[in-house]
Amino acid sequence: MECDSEKHISALHPGPPMKDNPEDDKDDGGEVSEMSSTPVTSKCTEICANAKRQYSCSKISPVIVYPNGQRENARKMYAVLDEQSNKSLAKSQFFHLFNIKTAADPYTLKTCTGITKTAGRRAANFMIESVDGKIRLPLPNLIECDMIPDDREEIPLPEVANQHPHLQRVADKIPPVDPNAPILLLLVREDHRDYLRFLWYEDNDLSKNVRDYRMKVHVFGNSPSPAVAIYCMRRAAGEGEREHGFDAKQFVVRNFYVDDGLASAPTEEEAVDILKKAQKMLAESNLKLHKIASNSHEVMKAFPADERAKDLKDLDLRLDDLPLQRSLGVLWNLETDCFTFQVSQEDRPYTKRGVLSTVNSVYDPLGFVAPITMQGKALLRELSTESNDWDEPLPPNKAEEWNRWKNSLKDLQHLQIARCYVPLSQSSAQRRELCLFSDASTIAIGAVAYLKVTDSDGGSLKLSKCSHSGAKPTGTGLSAENGGSSHPTVRVRICTMGVSTDLGGEMSLVTAGLVFMRLLLAFGAVEDEAPVCQILGSSEFPLLSKEGEVMIGGAFSIHSKISQPPLSFTEKPTRLTCSSVNLREFRYAQTMIFAIEEINRSDFLLPNISIGYRIYDNCASTLSSMRVVMALMNGDGWTVGKSCSGQSAVHAIIGESESSSTIVLSRMTGPFNMPVISHSATCECLSSRNEFPSFFRTIASDVYQGRALAQLVKHFGWTWVGAVNSDSDYGNNGMAIFLAAAQEKGVCVEYREKFHRAEPEKLLKVVEVIQKSTARVIVAFMAHVEMNNLLEQLTLQNITGRQFIGVEAWITADSLVTPASFNVLGGSLGFAVQKANISGLEEFLIKDFWETDFKCNETNNMADAANCKENHDLIELKDYDGDVAELRMSSNIYKAIYAVANSLHHILKCSHSQGCDKPVKVMAWQVVESLKQVNFTIKNGEQVWFDNTGATVAQYEVVNWQRGTNGSIQFKPVGYYDESLPPGQKFVLKNEDIMWPGGKTELPVSVCSGSCRPGTRKVLQKGKPVCCYDCIPCAEGEISNTTDSNGCKKCPEEYWSNQNRDACILKKVEYLSFTEVMGVVLVFFTLFGVVLTLSVATIFLINKDTPLVRANNSELSFLLLFSLTLCFLCSLTFIGRPSEWSCMLRHTAFGITFVLCISCILGKTMVVLMAFRASLPGSNVMKWFGPTQQRLSVLVLTLIQVLTCIIWLKIKPPFPFKNMNHYKEKIILECALGSPIGFWAVLVYIGLLAILCFILAFLARKLPDNFNEAKFITFSMLIFCAVWITFIPAYVSSPGKFSVAVEIFAILASSYGILLCIFAPKCFILVLKPELNTKKHLMGKT
């Protein structure tokens, strides 16, 4: 599928690995021919395969493949379409499918990972066909290779195409993914290899002929090349991190733009080390890191001359000064380690084109001279409003201002910007502050960033600046005050910077430019540095806390509603107030305390270390979550001393419950390597180790739950469902996974709606959609808060009878269980985390917690009493135990605490006998690295470990909302899903235990269209999903023998569809048989003709000596009667089932017998004619027509036909043939002519004899005789010719057995015509008028 777009980035086409001797490489980048020293070379340049994962940048398409001429053996598979390989490849499975057992031949495989010598079988003479059957092509010769990528996630999907506007027109043509079709082929697109061709002189010699070359690599001028270069560099860095280290990877990823890198190192040794590591790492991916330049002579000496920058190769580093270098378009003075600028002094015309060229000649990506360039850009914009053409002179009123600005640019070469503002390692800094300012005016917009770094002395400040500016877009109206400035005067604490450089007397315009920064930046007064580090704002205090030697933080939504005070912006806002206790979240906090207390009592885990906790309530608010994160890292102290850098308040954080809040938490703690372990944040987006390197979770990612939901829906045959999700990271990502999996399984979604808990209008719309929908099954991928809101509305509007499919976030939430909720959610199915089976937990939640950790009684002091009063709503839960039996996520909290404890146990080198190392000083990054290695078993037997994404294995219970015998609502397990089990055992359901909505035991049906019975096929309804279709009966000759068939398949040639179109039955074989009516009639007339002929022969035999018989040449008459008998009998060979012998006999017997018959008649005619000629005086003709001559003429004429038939039978005889063209539903069994020439030669010969006989008889019709036989011969030949002339069109137009009947009819009609016309008058006289049988009468002498 081609999109005909130029918007895509091309795939990478790296060549072979670098050679040890770079001088051996050719200077030009093209290729003239493929060179190989081995039998086969495959430049699989788009395929990067290794032992871990196979990746392809190519297109993957479904195809049908089969051996040429064997369409019935067709197999469906996927093929990778590659533009850069020179051979087509096939996996070993392809050779097994088609049972190809040829010997393996050696070949060399060149990929971007290196050169491999291997061997493989060959396959040829195959056909490839598109899945719609419209395109069919011969497949190139294939080579066996198992390094073809098989990442099915790269197979194009219609929904992905719909995300790109230029692909939407072809999205409906992309077929859904076939899970049963493997990726087996890599096919070469030869036409795509010609996209980067160019003409150049042969061997780079200008005196030789121009030749056609093709690029082997991406060229710099190609549009996608910069993006390709960046990707290639980062890919190489990612793959080389394990061997060459994280610092080498970061050097490439963070410090390179396209192919230029710029970085700093604290020491020369570190600079050399990082460069050499990066060189080795990039060389493994065929990337050469060279053109090295440094402001240190020692660093330059560490590298050979050919690896230095071009103008540094021949320098004497001990004596010569280092020249200027260009880095990212900016000049770098290596000796002074400063950036400087050089502006082209080319005199450009005062036109739009000239002004634009001059303004763009100052390349300043870091914004060092933004105050200068901003003036030029503003002037350019003002001049561009004129209607002049690009090359017309601009108005003279601005010329003076333009020339003054242009002439001042040369003064920029005196400006030097120190490259290193902070000669202090970021890691050794005591304090770092990033200050950003931005402002706008009617002229321009601008932003500036300052990095403030405090060294170990705490007194010296080093500052760096980076700015960005641009002309304000036209067409935007801004209210202007005080001379047009739209920004208020703001007093902010910033640090000023002095640039230590000699500006000189000629830098007035530069100075003016620096003053111009006032329009871009909001500067304020400088204040003295505060003596201490203190929190700017109010402190956030934990809900529950306990001090310990190591601290674990917790963030839970113990309250689910938050009220925000009105903001007047005239006084400090009051604290946010929370309400509506979330019992489940409160149990999480209790479980965390239980696990910590259990570990503190343990003698085996952290034996002499006490763990404390700080548990915060974020009130289910992202805003509150940010405050909680800062409190967890900073603590609740008002001041922390002179430095703000130090140990965080906790060593790890447990939480949060929802994915959106967890993302906020992880993004804020990630830069500080603070480990975050969530117990229920399942969003797949959190699996990215690049974005969330310190995130872990004791629950599986939603990618497994989403697929399991699709499998559950498909299991019950629900192909028409509704989808509702929370408008959050959790809901949106989870629903996207489900929709993709559902599409693969053929499940259609009638609607997809989403809403946020703070959007009641959208909620009402969702309820309206549900009410109007026809889908009876609803997949609800929502957090329990949104589900509770939806449940309230559905209950109010009495919308029942829907089958809900739920997720772990709400399917077992006790907060949803109300007297009225079962009417809506009764019978719901969903996946839940397995129940917490932790000994001692239940007693702690109900009793011990309230006695030891949350004391609220009459003996409390004033501080505790105030805390108890503030949390009085929690005290109301003191004696409640209705939810304890259904605790599930609590086990994940328990696992998370033990994971942190085990990691600390490893870091502190604890042992049962000697305890742990003290004093305790554990860094957050140490905990992160230790968590990656933990693998332990908790006391209930569950094993805990984290995979490479920081998650645990997916294990779910399938629960069903049922009403118990006592009327209570129960979450009954009816199955399980375990990703760790082998395929076929992962998903198990007990259908007989499921209760459906309304208390029914029958499976609800949710389909857009009913099933199509066998014998019909599905036809999609226009404008509707693929699950909405009409059932159309299969056409004649086609069948479908399965339910819901997408298409009908044709029956084999000898078969036809039955009446129901669900089976192929043998076609009825039709031929002219002896038993059918037509056959019986023809046999009757055949036998009647034989009897009649024999009767005539008998009469002639009885009267053989009479004058009449003797006068009519009795010998030829008897021979004629014999031939007529054979003519009648030969028609019988045309009746019955054709066989090889009958086909040869019928045509030859017909031809020979009729020639014999016509020869006899011709002889009789010649005798009559010659007899009268001989009676003339002097005639001597009769001696040539005596009996011997008559016999000989009949023999010769018949022998000619016999020879013709023999030749016909010898060369290409008639044969039985199954004619399937006339009728589709039946087979006409007939005799094919073999050689039409032979058949028509026989007929033409008979016709010539008949015409000759007719002409002679016609000439003799008026000869004097009472019984002139020529008259009767004339009539017989006339009938004969008429019959056979009409036979030809009738024979050609008659289908099937009727053509045989026409031929028999012609034989019988012509035979009867001859018999009756010639012999009937004679028999009349012989039988009825014997008195006329006298010589006198015959001579006319009566």
Side-chain angles (χ1 to χ4, degrees), residues 906-926:
H906 172 73
I907 294 170
L908 298 174
K909 302 176 181 178
C910 301
S911 65
H912 177 61
S913 58
Q914 299 180 359
C916 305
D917 292 346
K918 287 191 176 184
V920 177
K921 188 175 181 181
V922 180
M923 303 300 291
W925 66 266
Q926 293 178 291

Side-chain angles (χ1 to χ4, degrees), residues 139-278:
L139 197 61
N141 292 345
L142 301 172
I143 302 175
E144 183 179 18
C145 177
D146 283 321
M147 292 181 71
I148 299 175
D150 54 2
D151 192 347
R152 301 185 67 83
E153 294 181 0
E154 296 181 28
I155 297 175
L157 297 175
E159 60 267 22
V160 176
N162 275 317
Q163 302 300 318
H164 302 277
H166 69 291
L167 292 179
Q168 289 175 357
R169 64 183 180 85
V170 297
D172 59 336
K173 300 178 183 178
I174 300 176
V177 174
D178 188 343
N180 299 319
I183 300 177
L184 297 183
L185 298 176
L186 183 142
L187 303 180
V188 176
R189 288 290 302 271
E190 290 290 342
D191 55 328
H192 283 189
R193 301 182 69 192
D194 292 329
Y195 285 165
L196 289 179
R197 287 195 174 272
F198 63 96
L199 299 175
W200 192 242
Y201 298 97
E202 186 177 353
D203 298 330
N204 208 22
D205 187 346
L206 302 184
S207 63
K208 293 187 176 181
N209 295 330
V210 174
R211 298 203 58 180
D212 186 18
Y213 287 83
R214 178 171 63 86
M215 286 293 180
K216 295 177 63 176
V217 296
H218 274 278
V219 292
F220 184 77
N222 201 19
S223 298
S225 292
V228 169
I230 292 172
Y231 172 82
C232 190
M233 294 275 288
R234 294 188 175 185
R235 173 72 180 269
E239 293 180 352
E241 177 184 1
R242 179 179 296 273
E243 181 177 351
H244 301 286
F246 179 75
D247 54 348
K249 172 193 172 184
Q250 287 297 95
F251 169 69
V252 174
V253 172
R254 300 291 297 274
N255 297 291
F256 269 81
Y257 177 74
V258 189
D259 57 348
D260 286 340
L262 180 63
S264 298
T267 65
E268 294 168 330
E269 292 77 10
E270 291 182 48
V272 173
D273 179 64
I274 196 68
L275 282 171
K276 289 187 176 293
K277 285 182 179 178

Side-chain angles (χ1 to χ4, degrees), residues 890-1065:
S890 294
S891 64
N892 290 348
I893 298 283
Y894 188 82
K895 295 174 188 176
I897 296 297
Y898 267 84
V900 176
N902 276 273
S903 66
L904 292 171
H905 189 88
H906 172 73
I907 294 170
L908 298 174
K909 302 176 181 178
C910 301
S911 65
H912 177 61
S913 58
Q914 299 180 359
C916 305
D917 292 346
K918 287 191 176 184
V920 177
K921 188 175 181 181
V922 180
M923 303 300 291
W925 66 266
Q926 293 178 291
V927 182
V928 171
E929 294 302 318
S930 183
L931 281 172
K932 295 177 182 178
Q933 310 299 326
V934 296
N935 194 333
F936 60 93
T937 303
I938 58 177
K939 60 184 179 182
N940 65 358
E942 290 188 56
Q943 190 176 7
V944 181
W945 55 277
F946 299 105
D947 61 19
N948 57 358
T949 67
T952 56
V953 67
Q955 293 177 325
Y956 302 102
E957 275 186 348
V958 183
V959 298
N960 180 218
W961 277 49
Q962 298 186 7
R963 193 181 294 277
T965 54
N966 58 355
S968 63
I969 298 176
Q970 300 176 350
F971 307 128
K972 183 177 180 180
V974 293
Y976 65 84
Y977 180 91
D978 192 341
E979 185 64 28
S980 63
L981 296 177
Q985 303 177 20
K986 294 181 179 182
F987 186 48
V988 175
L989 275 176
K990 301 176 183 177
N991 295 353
E992 64 276 5
D993 294 340
I994 299 175
M995 183 66 67
W996 302 109
K1000 299 178 181 178
T1001 57
E1002 295 181 359
L1003 175 70
V1005 177
S1006 184
V1007 294
C1008 182
S1009 301
S1011 296
C1012 290
R1013 64 171 181 81
T1016 62
R1017 62 183 177 91
K1018 297 191 294 185
V1019 176
L1020 299 182
Q1021 296 177 1
K1022 189 175 182 180
K1024 292 188 178 181
V1026 294
C1027 299
C1028 299
Y1029 48 82
D1030 297 317
C1031 298
I1032 305 299
C1034 292
E1036 292 184 345
E1038 297 182 349
I1039 66 160
S1040 64
N1041 52 10
T1042 59
T1043 304
D1044 289 335
S1045 175
N1046 289 321
C1048 301
K1049 55 184 179 181
K1050 288 186 176 181
C1051 292
E1053 277 192 330
E1054 297 188 6
Y1055 289 81
W1056 194 249
S1057 55
N1058 61 357
Q1059 187 174 3
N1060 294 328
R1061 307 283 199 272
D1062 58 359
C1064 289
I1065 57 176

Side-chain angles (χ1 to χ4, degrees), residues 529-561:
E529 179 67 27
V532 295
C533 179
Q534 63 184 25
I535 293 177
L536 301 178
S538 58
S539 300
E540 195 78 13
F541 294 96
L543 178 68
L544 301 167
S545 65
K546 179 181 179 181
E547 294 302 317
E549 293 172 282
V550 293
M551 299 293 292
I552 300 178
F556 305 104
S557 303
I558 297 176
H559 292 86
S560 58
K561 293 183 179 179

Side-chain angles (χ1 to χ4, degrees), residues 18-20 22-23 272 275-280 283 287-294 299-314 325:
M18 282 196 302
K19 303 175 184 177
D20 295 334
E23 286 75 11
V272 173
L275 282 171
K276 289 187 176 293
K277 285 182 179 178
Q279 275 188 326
K280 293 180 181 178
L287 297 172
K288 183 178 180 180
L289 183 63
H290 63 145
K291 296 184 180 179
I292 297 171
S294 174
V299 173
M300 299 298 297
K301 291 178 182 177
F303 296 92
D306 61 344
E307 293 184 359
R308 301 177 198 158
K310 185 176 181 180
D311 49 359
L312 296 177
K313 292 182 178 181
D314 301 327
Q325 292 295 307

Side-chain angles (χ1 to χ4, degrees), residues 311-360:
D311 49 359
L312 296 177
K313 292 182 178 181
D314 301 327
L315 288 182
D316 187 343
L317 296 177
R318 295 170 298 176
L319 303 175
D320 297 334
D321 292 334
L322 299 177
L324 292 177
Q325 292 295 307
R326 185 174 294 275
S327 178
L328 296 179
V330 181
L331 289 177
W332 178 22
N333 190 326
L334 299 181
E335 291 293 342
T336 62
D337 198 14
C338 291
F339 289 123
T340 185
F341 298 86
Q342 283 186 354
V343 181
S344 173
Q345 297 299 312
E346 181 182 349
D347 189 17
R348 297 179 176 89
Y350 181 53
T351 61
K352 284 184 182 180
R353 192 184 308 278
V355 171
L356 178 63
S357 178
T358 304
V359 171
N360 289 338

